[in-house]
Amino acid sequence: MEDQEMQVKVRRVSDKFTESMYVLANEPSVALYRLQEHVRRSLPELAQHKTDMQSWEEQSQGAIYSVEYACSAVRSMANSSVYFKNIDSLLRQAINMKEQMSSSQGRSLHDAKPSPSPHVAASRASSS
């Protein structure tokens, strides 16, 4: 019987010891210490990620600005089609007027008789 009592007492002591170790291992101060270690190890990497993200944000903001500027330029070009049509119409009118002037000048030169030069008139008079 003494053996059984001893085993029960040993079991109680070992259970109490195990429970105490479990409480110590999971005590809030130990948890905070482990959390502090984790933060100390991972903080430099997180800080680097933050600076990388800020850099990427700046680059993307620049790209977004460029795209918006290009879109507004394309929109203004699309809106300027009215002016290009007007310019096209005016150029066609100018070309037609130039052609009319060229053809009228060609007719007036062709229709006009050249005045005889004095040498030609004198040679005609002497030959008659």
Side-chain angles (χ1 to χ4, degrees):
M1 288 257 182
E2 208 174 283
D3 237 3
Q4 280 184 338
E5 282 182 31
M6 187 60 111
Q7 283 181 356
V8 170
K9 286 181 181 182
V10 168
R11 184 167 292 184
R12 270 193 224 148
V13 169
S14 68
D15 286 345
K16 289 288 185 183
F17 183 73
T18 303
E19 184 180 338
S20 297
M21 290 304 291
Y22 182 76
V23 167
L24 282 176
N26 293 311
E27 185 181 3
S29 62
V30 174
L32 290 175
Y33 173 74
R34 289 186 180 158
L35 184 63
Q36 182 184 11
E37 282 183 341
H38 172 72
V39 168
R40 196 176 293 154
R41 271 186 263 126
S42 62
L43 188 64
E45 186 178 342
L46 288 174
Q48 183 61 42
H49 283 306
K50 180 183 176 185
T51 56
D52 291 345
M53 292 299 286
Q54 286 173 337
S55 171
W56 292 339
E57 180 186 16
E58 289 173 5
Q59 290 175 357
S60 63
Q61 288 295 329
I64 289 169
Y65 175 77
S66 297
V67 168
E68 287 175 349
Y69 184 74
C71 287
S72 73
V74 168
R75 272 190 234 106
S76 66
M77 287 174 69
N79 293 339
S80 67
S81 66
V82 174
Y83 302 110
F84 285 118
K85 287 177 184 175
N86 190 17
I87 290 170
D88 181 52
S89 170
L90 291 172
L91 284 173
R92 288 181 191 276
Q93 287 177 3
I95 290 170
N96 287 336
M97 291 176 82
K98 166 80 167 79
E99 288 174 354
Q100 287 176 358
M101 288 172 61
S102 295
S103 66
S104 68
Q105 279 181 350
R107 271 191 249 131
S108 69
L109 288 177
H110 184 61
D111 290 345
K113 292 182 180 179
S115 61
S117 68
H119 298 300
V120 174
S123 66
R124 281 188 188 166
S126 62
S127 60
S128 359

